Amino acid sequence: KLSKTEKNSGGGGMPRNIGLKQASGAYVLFVDADDFILLNALETLYTAAKENNTDVVYTSSYYFMKAKNDIYRYRDGLRTKLFKEGKEDNPTLIVDDPNKNLQRLVFDRNFNFAWMYFVRRDFLLENNIDFPSVSSGEDHLWVIQVYCYAKRFFRIPKALYFYRRYTGE
């Protein structure tokens, strides 16, 4: 579905809220217009969500593109720690553990970008979780709400998302 707003809101929150209301699928993933995902990303996320009956599935790393041929992999705090220790990073299911959620959100350098999260749509609607009408920081505030309400998180140790931060092709 395509929609057009009367004027540019200056941020991503309003268009994402419109998209969430128009969505009809069981899950949502917000992909920024200048970024892209791997071809199998949605299948991987959906399979993990269904197999683990989760509210939220997220990846522990993503590809960061500074320039066309300058790509590196960014890891969350846990993945970085395991990588440095030479330990294997396995998929992780966290069930109804607010303390662990808070620790991951604050101390593990977890990601505060909406595009990192594949979220059950009904979970967002039932808990009235949407993006605030602010010009910046809306992702961070949305992620905090998600962490406050979600009961089941599944962390995938794969990079599925390409975050592009440059103006070239």
Side-chain angles (χ1 to χ4, degrees):
K1 296 181 180 180
L2 296 176
S3 65
K4 183 178 179 180
T5 58
E6 292 288 323
K7 68 177 208 171
N8 187 333
S9 66
M14 187 179 78
R16 288 177 178 163
N17 288 336
I18 291 169
L20 179 61
K21 286 180 182 140
Q22 291 182 351
S24 59
Y27 296 89
V28 295
L29 176 69
F30 300 101
V31 179
D32 287 350
D34 56 342
D35 300 340
F36 60 96
I37 58 176
L38 293 180
L39 290 175
N40 68 338
L42 293 175
E43 179 182 2
T44 300
L45 294 165
Y46 181 80
T47 299
K50 293 305 280 183
E51 287 177 356
N52 295 284
N53 189 29
T54 62
D55 296 318
V56 179
V57 177
Y58 72 99
T59 60
S60 64
S61 59
Y62 62 90
Y63 296 105
F64 182 76
M65 300 176 67
K66 287 194 219 178
K68 188 172 185 175
N69 294 313
D70 187 10
I71 301 171
Y72 71 94
R73 194 171 183 176
Y74 187 89
R75 297 175 174 90
D76 69 4
L78 175 60
R79 183 162 177 81
T80 300
K81 180 181 175 190
L82 293 170
F83 184 75
K84 287 179 181 175
E85 294 173 356
K87 295 180 182 175
E88 190 170 337
D89 188 8
N90 295 311
T92 309
L93 176 64
I94 297 173
V95 180
D96 203 13
D97 191 340
N99 290 331
K100 192 174 274 191
N101 290 345
L102 181 61
Q103 178 183 358
R104 284 182 14 249
L105 182 63
V106 176
F107 299 112
D108 288 345
R109 277 188 27 216
N110 201 16
F111 302 117
N112 292 312
F113 306 111
W115 45 258
M116 296 302 301
Y117 300 92
F118 185 74
V119 185
R120 189 169 53 83
R121 183 174 166 270
D122 285 345
F123 158 76
L124 294 172
L125 297 174
E126 290 162 6
N127 291 289
N128 295 314
I129 298 173
D130 60 6
F131 292 89
S133 298
V134 294
S135 58
S136 66
E138 71 277 356
D139 277 19
H140 303 295
L141 297 171
W142 182 85
V143 169
I144 290 169
Q145 291 180 82
V146 168
Y147 272 81
C148 287
Y149 288 100
K151 302 290 184 201
R152 296 178 67 89
F153 284 88
F154 191 74
R155 179 181 169 278
I156 297 177
K158 295 180 183 176
L160 301 171
Y161 194 96
F162 283 80
Y163 173 66
R164 193 177 352 213
R165 183 106 181 183
Y166 69 98
T167 57
E169 288 184 25

